[in-house]
Amino acid sequence: MSLEEKINQLSFQMELLLGAVDWSERPFEHEVLKANLTRQEVVAFFALLDDIRERQNEQMRYGLSSVEPLLVHFVGMLHPHLEAETILAACVRQGMALDVTEPLYRQVKLLY
C-alpha cells in the first residue's frame, strides 16, 4: 500500500469514527477534528483565548466593557476552518475558558 493510499484509508477511518462517537460531552474536540487542525493550530487557538483574556482585563482596568472589539479580534485571528459561533458554543458547552468564551458567544449570537 502506497503512502497516499494509507493516508486516504486513515482519512476514511477518521470520518467513520467522527460519525460513530457521541461527541455531546466533547464538542470542542469534535470541532477540532472536523476542522482537521494540527496540534500547533490548537495551541494557537488557546493562545488566542489568552490574548483575548489579556485584552479583556486591560479594558476592565480602564473601565470599558465592550465585547465587540474583542469579538472582532477573535474572528480575525480565528483559524479559517473554524466558525466563530460554532467553536465558541463548543467551548461554552464544554466549560472551557468561560471568562472569555461566554461573553464572546453571547455577542456572536446577537450578531448572527
Side-chain angles (χ1 to χ4, degrees), residues 32-45:
V32 166
L33 290 170
K34 277 188 356 187
N36 198 30
L37 299 185
T38 65
R39 180 183 307 268
Q40 292 83 7
E41 290 165 337
V42 173
V43 168
F45 175 80

Side-chain angles (χ1 to χ4, degrees), residues 23-67:
W23 292 100
S24 59
E25 299 294 319
R26 307 298 291 189
F28 175 77
E29 285 80 359
H30 184 247
E31 294 303 321
V32 166
L33 290 170
K34 277 188 356 187
N36 198 30
L37 299 185
T38 65
R39 180 183 307 268
Q40 292 83 7
E41 290 165 337
V42 173
V43 168
F45 175 80
F46 285 112
L48 174 59
L49 292 181
D50 288 340
D51 181 45
I52 298 292
R53 182 178 291 110
E54 288 177 25
R55 289 169 182 259
Q56 187 179 39
N57 289 338
E58 179 137 345
Q59 277 189 354
M60 291 165 80
R61 277 195 292 271
Y62 291 106
L64 304 171
S65 62
S66 178
V67 178

Side-chain angles (χ1 to χ4, degrees), residues 86-101:
T86 305
I87 196 65
L88 287 170
C91 288
V92 169
R93 279 196 316 268
Q94 200 164 320
M96 299 172 64
L98 293 176
D99 60 323
V100 174
T101 58

